[in-house]
Amino acid sequence: MISKVKNAMSSLVGGMMPHGHHHHHHNHHSGGGQPCGPDSLPPRFPYGRPDFLDLTPELLQYSTEHASRPVLTLKRDSRLPWRSGYAEVINAGKSMLNEDQGCCEKLFVKKPSGKNRNSSLLEDNGDGTGIPMHYWGVFDGHAGSGAAIMASKLLHRLIRDRLGEICHLLENSNSAPPICLSKNGSPYQADSKKGAAQDTEDPDAVTDSSVRFHMEKVVSLESLVMGVIETAFSQMDDLIEKEKASYAISGGCCALAAINLMGKLYVANAGDSRSIIIRNNEVIPMTNEFTPESERQRLQYLGFLRPELLGNEFTHIEFPRRIQHSELGKKMLYRDHTMTGWAYKTIVEDDLKFPLIYGEGKKARVMATIGVTRGLGDHELKVYNSNIYIKPFLSCVPEVKVYNMDENKHGPNDVLVMGTDGLWDVTTDREVADAVSAYLSCCDPSDPMRYTLAAQDLLMRSRGVLKERGWRLPNERLGSGDDITVFVIPLAGPGTET
Amino acid sequence: MISKVKNAMSSLVGGMMPHGHHHHHHNHHSGGGQPCGPDSLPPRFPYGRPDFLDLTPELLQYSTEHASRPVLTLKRDSRLPWRSGYAEVINAGKSMLNEDQGCCEKLFVKKPSGKNRNSSLLEDNGDGTGIPMHYWGVFDGHAGSGAAIMASKLLHRLIRDRLGEICHLLENSNSAPPICLSKNGSPYQADSKKGAAQDTEDPDAVTDSSVRFHMEKVVSLESLVMGVIETAFSQMDDLIEKEKASYAISGGCCALAAINLMGKLYVANAGDSRSIIIRNNEVIPMTNEFTPESERQRLQYLGFLRPELLGNEFTHIEFPRRIQHSELGKKMLYRDHTMTGWAYKTIVEDDLKFPLIYGEGKKARVMATIGVTRGLGDHELKVYNSNIYIKPFLSCVPEVKVYNMDENKHGPNDVLVMGTDGLWDVTTDREVADAVSAYLSCCDPSDPMRYTLAAQDLLMRSRGVLKERGWRLPNERLGSGDDITVFVIPLAGPGTET
């Protein structure tokens, strides 16, 4: 989303802002498709659209035409893994480039060997052996496209490599994962009765499951995969920070990823992208959005416990509007990190600071700067004209929801839809479900393009048509002016894909 | 709940506990019904059962018979406000006294006058003028009954008095509450265009609603009442702490309160009591429980941000079991405050500390001490044989849910059930709904005792019958050994009550 990091309060009188007016951060693109950092470092990855679109330089240029806003889809003879449908469109002139990115890959999970232990981030498919894993990622950049591009190139590989480390546990899918592993990765069972198990051949690998401790939680394989995904997001975020020393990596991004592994679909979301399952035209939400409003209490709690992060400029208390100096001593509605309702408090000097969370709906901001509270990157993001970093308030950890593919029957019109917020801002879950269901039910079930055509149809509806009064939907409402990226993924499976 | 504060790890080997074995805290009752604090301070309120039970000293004594565990209900000719049904039973010998308390009152909300401004906590009904408010409270004490008794005597008055302060806003229920109030309580509208409104008679009370700020959230009257309830719980908690200087007030308590005000039912819960609405035999949950497991991430986050609160004895990281010293350097499953899934980490020295959150289900504990994470009191509670306070990890703020009474039609068998965890531990929501619905449908709709009889029936089912192998339910499962308190409240309203 383009306007996520911007002058949230541009309509406010200057004197009410902690540091005067704000501006777009880190929008230092040269415009020719090669973003270049403020320190003239080389880009970590060059700007581009997803490889699977196979754009020529001319088409790449055409994709950024703000006047025409072409909806890009897969070429007629191209195929994505799992028959996935894809479409994208650029914003209405808000940034030079499309800051969204998408990724769709089939990978193979296997134990890291000596050869690929350090270099496997570079390769996608290896020799085609291992546990198959399908992956879809949608990244919505802000303040530049660098973080989104890097995440779209690497996050799936991080997840695959971390799954590789527990590959031997995944293969043994009938038993719960061991609580403790020895250094060589085999289960380790400490023995409180017999001493340190001197009588086994490998003293590091006691597997006598009858020796149990007093309390021992059973952890499912599913929650182990969830943990892999959660920690891989953190690792991705660390990697962005680390490589910023050597490369230009601009901004941050929301990250939404879906992983199909061993009959289960894991949907991981950090940000305000959104994913729903449509089954029999019914909607099953697979994500929650993370915004200043939905995460208000978490952020206020941090500001309350660590007031130094607020830099003496912000207050963790929320007020329904800014307070004027003349209102000192009067009573104003407020809520703190413990409250859901509102109460009155007597206004003191400290309450004149700018609220940590301010604004409503799409205009809500953290420290008057950013409108989304989870994602990757943003390590350098500061409050305008200050030394206050936003990053401590942001989380890179996704919420992961699991859907059991094997336990449900799916028809050809049952799909997972993943989309950046540009889609959902103008089209409700219900409207998306109705549009996709209607489109697919009119479409030949054997058409290999059907899910891509449904994605394209969805984007046409949400972008609208350029009229004198801007991009308009058929019902004359304003269409989305944002970048939009969408996947439509058939739940019935990859079909004849090998 | 009796066992909420106890030696959580009594079955663990001694050497694994941070300070050897734990014991019950603050169970300093003299047994004769008058708890007396460790410092021989007088009790804040004498021990007793709710006034509306109207027990003679002999019956009060009988109520604590652990061998017979009589189910106490309202006397045949007594009436509670709103035709409410009530029943209670003591635990199976785990504490000297019944640590649960209940409260049911009809009160009147009105503007504090000079006369009652400071003393109104003492009176319940005043002169019967003002906005009527019905209140039900259920308090489940632990480590003594002092906090539960005090909360049952005062919390409803605090709520009423706080509502009284905004009485003039409640009476004007068609308009949203003003964001700012002048010192005299009238709406104050700051003026950014005209300056400080010198031209009105009362410069403190500018009400020109056309003067609006750039952003101004609309706050509903409903969320103002929620804020009153939330802050009243905090105030109650502060009052318990404050009065501990002069009185013996033992332990802490879970607090569950329901308030009916102006056609809306507010259910506020801090702890592991539970409330459901049964409507057409369907269950609508009105509370979530707050336990070490449900609040794990909040508590871990605090331990992570404020490690000094862990006193160098505990780690904020969760492990599925205790770690042995011999396992240093191996890999163990863990999760931190950001994670829902589990991952492996290499065990370091710091991981040998006792986990902040440990145990499963009813045996889960914070710092090996307490099994509930919200409630009132517990200010003095420490980890056994240490100077580590538990209170910073506990919250006294309830979650408030609102049910619109006026927008729904209710039959005579539609009720709100409020109960301490002794009820829900052995009887599921569904079983409670089925039992209550079945009982009420066989009961004369005009019988004034019908809701009390339904409450009594529910308790008989959940307590069971004393057999050789303990208190048993008809299906031979173990009955509840805990104190149980339950209200059954008709949603159709107070009937002919004036």
Side-chain angles (χ1 to χ4, degrees):
Chain A
M1 201 246 221
I2 301 304
S3 53
K4 225 162 266 167
V5 177
K6 59 165 284 193
N7 178 358
M9 251 59 65
S10 55
S11 61
L12 270 185
V13 291
M16 302 183 71
M17 293 291 299
H19 294 283
H21 287 93
H22 289 219
H23 71 169
H24 285 249
H25 290 260
H26 306 282
N27 254 329
H28 300 284
H29 303 313
S30 54
Q34 298 282 333
C36 198
D39 305 309
S40 298
L41 293 171
R44 177 63 176 92
F45 292 100
Y47 175 78
R49 304 313 308 150
D51 290 341
F52 56 71
L53 288 179
D54 198 19
L55 298 186
T56 61
E58 293 72 32
L59 279 169
L60 179 63
Q61 182 63 40
Y62 174 61
S63 77
T64 64
E65 289 288 334
H66 291 114
S68 53
R69 300 182 72 198
V71 172
L72 301 187
T73 63
L74 235 47
K75 288 182 186 163
R76 183 83 215 172
D77 53 355
S78 295
R79 297 286 177 274
L80 280 177
W82 198 284
R83 298 189 288 163
S84 309
Y86 176 86
E88 62 166 63
V89 69
I90 195 171
N91 63 83
K94 291 185 182 175
S95 68
M96 295 295 294
L97 304 172
N98 185 340
E99 294 183 342
D100 279 3
Q101 292 293 336
C103 176
C104 175
E105 295 282 349
K106 182 180 184 181
L107 304 101
F108 294 92
V109 176
K110 58 183 165 185
K111 198 172 171 175
S113 69
K115 177 178 154 288
N116 65 8
R117 188 159 292 194
N118 296 312
S119 60
S120 65
L121 266 186
L122 301 177
E123 49 158 343
D124 262 345
N125 284 316
D127 57 4
T129 63
I131 304 171
M133 156 186 157
H134 284 84
Y135 171 95
W136 301 263
V138 156
F139 304 90
D140 180 348
H142 51 255
S145 49
I149 295 172
M150 184 166 166
S152 75
K153 301 286 185 193
L154 296 182
L155 179 59
H156 54 294
R157 297 176 182 178
L158 286 175
I159 293 171
R160 182 219 32 210
D161 290 355
R162 291 188 83 93
L163 287 170
E165 290 165 15
I166 56 162
C167 195
H168 56 303
L169 307 177
L170 296 175
E171 281 160 351
N172 192 6
S173 63
N174 288 324
S175 63
I179 283 174
C180 190
L181 297 178
S182 65
K183 277 168 193 159
N184 68 11
S186 58
Y188 177 84
Q189 184 63 57
D191 186 336
S192 58
K193 290 176 196 142
K194 292 186 293 183
Q198 307 89 334
D199 50 345
T200 56
E201 285 186 87
D202 177 4
D204 235 9
V206 184
T207 54
D208 177 2
S209 64
S210 70
V211 182
R212 286 276 174 234
F213 275 79
H214 304 273
M215 192 285 285
E216 191 168 299
K217 276 197 182 179
V218 176
V219 172
S220 66
L221 213 50
E222 185 179 302
S223 59
L224 199 60
V225 175
M226 286 173 70
V228 160
I229 295 167
E230 289 170 330
T231 49
F233 270 65
S234 285
Q235 201 182 348
M236 185 69 232
D237 195 51
D238 292 343
L239 199 58
I240 290 172
E241 182 176 27
K242 191 180 144 211
E243 302 227 342
K244 270 201 168 129
S246 320
Y247 295 101
I249 303 164
S250 56
C253 65
C254 297
L256 166 62
I259 292 107
N260 187 75
L261 184 77
M262 299 169 66
K264 283 181 179 166
L265 183 69
Y266 299 82
V267 180
N269 185 46
D272 63 1
S273 296
R274 192 164 168 74
S275 178
I276 60 172
I277 279 175
I278 305 168
R279 195 176 65 195
N280 284 327
N281 199 26
E282 276 183 31
V283 172
I284 305 171
M286 291 301 289
T287 53
N288 292 305
E289 285 95 74
F290 296 99
T291 66
E293 287 185 308
S294 72
E295 294 215 278
R296 172 182 61 85
Q297 285 175 290
R298 175 177 77 75
L299 272 57
Q300 286 182 304
Y301 192 38
L302 178 59
F304 169 74
L305 288 172
R306 287 268 180 90
E308 70 274 16
L309 297 177
L310 301 172
N312 214 27
E313 297 281 352
F314 294 91
T315 169
H316 76 278
I317 299 174
E318 184 188 12
F319 298 100
R321 65 161 166 79
R322 286 307 309 279
I323 302 174
Q324 291 188 301
H325 203 276
S326 63
E327 291 172 313
L328 271 173
K330 299 192 173 42
K331 286 181 180 174
M332 184 165 256
L333 287 173
Y334 81 101
R335 50 183 179 177
D336 66 18
H337 65 283
T338 69
M339 298 166 69
T340 302
W342 296 81
Y344 288 101
K345 85 183 284 293
T346 300
I347 301 168
V348 298
E349 193 76 30
D350 220 46
D351 300 328
L352 299 177
K353 293 175 182 170
F354 203 87
L356 170 63
I357 307 294
Y358 188 71
E360 272 187 296
K362 296 301 283 184
K363 288 181 178 167
R365 290 288 180 281
V366 180
M367 299 209 269
T369 305
I370 189 165
V372 69
T373 52
R374 296 207 189 185
L376 306 169
D378 288 319
H379 297 88
E380 79 297 350
L381 186 64
K382 290 182 190 179
V383 176
Y384 178 68
N385 204 18
S386 86
N387 271 316
I388 304 171
Y389 283 93
I390 313 280
K391 186 69 176 176
F393 293 92
L394 307 179
S395 168
C396 60
V397 181
E399 181 183 44
V400 184
K401 291 200 189 186
V402 188
Y403 177 79
N404 199 320
M405 298 280 264
D406 288 351
E407 278 181 5
N408 292 282
K409 286 211 166 184
H410 301 109
N413 301 345
D414 295 336
V415 295
L416 177 77
V417 177
M418 301 168 69
T420 50
D421 69 331
L423 171 66
W424 311 99
D425 285 349
V426 297
T427 315
T428 65
D429 287 7
R430 187 68 258 158
E431 289 167 346
V432 167
D434 288 343
V436 169
S437 296
Y439 192 92
L440 289 177
S441 64
C442 296
C443 203
D444 177 2
S446 67
D447 182 350
M449 289 297 284
R450 63 199 307 267
Y451 301 105
T452 278
L453 293 172
Q456 184 182 34
D457 177 67
L458 209 48
L459 255 59
M460 304 284 260
R461 288 170 178 272
S462 304
R463 178 202 62 179
V465 175
L466 186 59
K467 300 192 176 175
E468 282 170 31
R469 293 159 43 252
W471 293 89
R472 293 283 161 178
L473 304 180
N475 60 13
E476 284 302 308
R477 282 186 308 172
L478 209 56
S480 175
D482 201 356
D483 301 318
I484 313 178
T485 296
V486 67
F487 277 110
V488 177
I489 301 158
L491 294 175
T496 56
E497 183 194 81
T498 48
Chain B
M1 201 246 220
I2 301 303
S3 55
K4 224 163 267 167
V5 177
K6 60 165 286 193
N7 178 355
M9 249 59 65
S10 55
S11 61
L12 269 187
V13 291
M16 301 183 72
M17 293 293 296
H19 295 282
H21 286 93
H22 289 216
H23 71 169
H24 284 250
H25 291 259
H26 307 281
N27 253 329
H28 302 282
H29 302 313
S30 54
Q34 296 283 330
C36 198
D39 305 308
S40 297
L41 292 171
R44 177 63 175 92
F45 291 100
Y47 175 79
R49 305 312 310 152
D51 290 340
F52 56 71
L53 288 179
D54 198 20
L55 299 186
T56 60
E58 294 71 34
L59 278 170
L60 179 62
Q61 182 64 38
Y62 173 61
S63 77
T64 63
E65 289 288 333
H66 290 115
S68 53
R69 299 182 72 197
V71 173
L72 302 187
T73 63
L74 234 47
K75 288 182 186 163
R76 184 82 215 170
D77 54 354
S78 294
R79 296 285 178 275
L80 280 178
W82 198 281
R83 297 188 289 162
S84 309
Y86 176 86
E88 64 166 63
V89 69
I90 195 171
N91 63 82
K94 293 186 182 174
S95 69
M96 294 296 293
L97 304 171
N98 186 339
E99 293 182 343
D100 280 2
Q101 292 292 337
C103 176
C104 175
E105 295 283 349
K106 182 179 184 181
L107 305 99
F108 294 91
V109 175
K110 58 183 165 184
K111 198 173 172 175
S113 68
K115 177 178 154 290
N116 65 8
R117 186 160 293 194
N118 296 312
S119 60
S120 65
L121 264 186
L122 301 177
E123 49 155 343
D124 264 344
N125 284 315
D127 57 4
T129 63
I131 304 171
M133 156 186 157
H134 284 83
Y135 171 95
W136 302 263
V138 156
F139 304 90
D140 179 350
H142 50 254
S145 50
I149 295 173
M150 183 165 167
S152 75
K153 301 284 185 194
L154 296 182
L155 179 60
H156 55 293
R157 297 175 182 177
L158 285 174
I159 292 172
R160 179 211 45 201
D161 289 356
R162 292 189 82 94
L163 287 170
E165 290 165 15
I166 56 163
C167 194
H168 56 303
L169 307 176
L170 295 175
E171 281 160 352
N172 192 7
S173 63
N174 288 323
S175 63
I179 284 174
C180 191
L181 297 178
S182 66
K183 278 168 192 158
N184 67 11
S186 58
Y188 176 83
Q189 185 63 57
D191 185 335
S192 60
K193 289 176 195 142
K194 294 187 292 183
Q198 306 91 331
D199 48 346
T200 56
E201 285 184 87
D202 176 5
D204 234 10
V206 184
T207 53
D208 176 3
S209 64
S210 71
V211 181
R212 285 276 174 236
F213 276 80
H214 304 274
M215 192 284 285
E216 191 166 299
K217 276 196 182 180
V218 176
V219 172
S220 66
L221 214 50
E222 185 179 299
S223 58
L224 199 60
V225 176
M226 286 173 69
V228 160
I229 296 168
E230 290 171 331
T231 49
F233 270 65
S234 285
Q235 200 182 348
M236 185 70 232
D237 194 52
D238 291 343
L239 200 57
I240 290 173
E241 181 176 29
K242 190 179 145 212
E243 302 228 342
K244 271 201 169 129
S246 320
Y247 296 102
I249 302 164
S250 55
C253 66
C254 297
L256 166 62
I259 293 107
N260 187 75
L261 185 76
M262 298 169 67
K264 284 183 178 165
L265 183 69
Y266 299 83
V267 180
N269 185 45
D272 63 1
S273 295
R274 191 163 169 74
S275 178
I276 60 174
I277 278 175
I278 305 168
R279 196 176 66 196
N280 284 327
N281 199 26
E282 275 183 32
V283 172
I284 305 171
M286 290 301 290
T287 52
N288 292 304
E289 284 96 74
F290 296 99
T291 66
E293 288 184 307
S294 73
E295 294 215 278
R296 173 182 60 84
Q297 286 175 289
R298 175 176 78 75
L299 271 58
Q300 287 183 303
Y301 193 38
L302 178 59
F304 168 74
L305 289 172
R306 288 269 181 88
E308 70 274 16
L309 296 177
L310 302 173
N312 213 28
E313 298 280 351
F314 294 91
T315 168
H316 75 278
I317 298 174
E318 184 189 13
F319 298 100
R321 65 161 167 81
R322 286 306 309 280
I323 301 174
Q324 291 188 301
H325 203 276
S326 63
E327 291 171 314
L328 272 174
K330 299 191 172 44
K331 286 182 178 175
M332 185 164 253
L333 288 173
Y334 81 101
R335 50 183 180 177
D336 66 18
H337 65 283
T338 69
M339 299 166 67
T340 302
W342 296 80
Y344 289 100
K345 87 184 282 294
T346 301
I347 300 168
V348 297
E349 193 75 31
D350 220 47
D351 299 329
L352 299 177
K353 293 175 181 170
F354 202 87
L356 170 63
I357 308 294
Y358 188 71
E360 273 188 295
K362 294 303 282 185
K363 289 181 178 166
R365 290 288 180 280
V366 180
M367 299 208 271
T369 305
I370 189 165
V372 68
T373 53
R374 297 208 190 187
L376 306 169
D378 288 319
H379 297 88
E380 79 297 349
L381 187 64
K382 290 182 191 180
V383 175
Y384 177 67
N385 204 19
S386 85
N387 271 316
I388 304 171
Y389 282 93
I390 312 280
K391 186 69 176 176
F393 292 91
L394 307 179
S395 168
C396 61
V397 181
E399 181 183 43
V400 184
K401 293 200 188 186
V402 188
Y403 177 78
N404 199 320
M405 298 279 264
D406 288 350
E407 280 181 5
N408 292 282
K409 286 210 166 184
H410 300 108
N413 301 344
D414 296 335
V415 294
L416 176 77
V417 176
M418 301 168 69
T420 50
D421 69 330
L423 171 66
W424 310 100
D425 285 349
V426 296
T427 316
T428 65
D429 286 7
R430 186 68 259 158
E431 289 167 344
V432 167
D434 288 343
V436 170
S437 296
Y439 192 93
L440 289 177
S441 64
C442 296
C443 203
D444 176 1
S446 67
D447 182 350
M449 289 297 284
R450 63 199 307 268
Y451 301 105
T452 278
L453 292 172
Q456 183 182 34
D457 177 67
L458 208 48
L459 254 59
M460 304 284 261
R461 287 171 177 270
S462 304
R463 179 202 64 178
V465 175
L466 186 59
K467 301 191 175 176
E468 281 170 32
R469 293 162 38 255
W471 292 89
R472 293 283 161 177
L473 305 180
N475 60 13
E476 285 302 308
R477 282 185 308 173
L478 209 56
S480 175
D482 201 356
D483 299 318
I484 313 178
T485 296
V486 66
F487 277 111
V488 177
I489 301 158
L491 294 175
T496 55
E497 184 195 79
T498 49

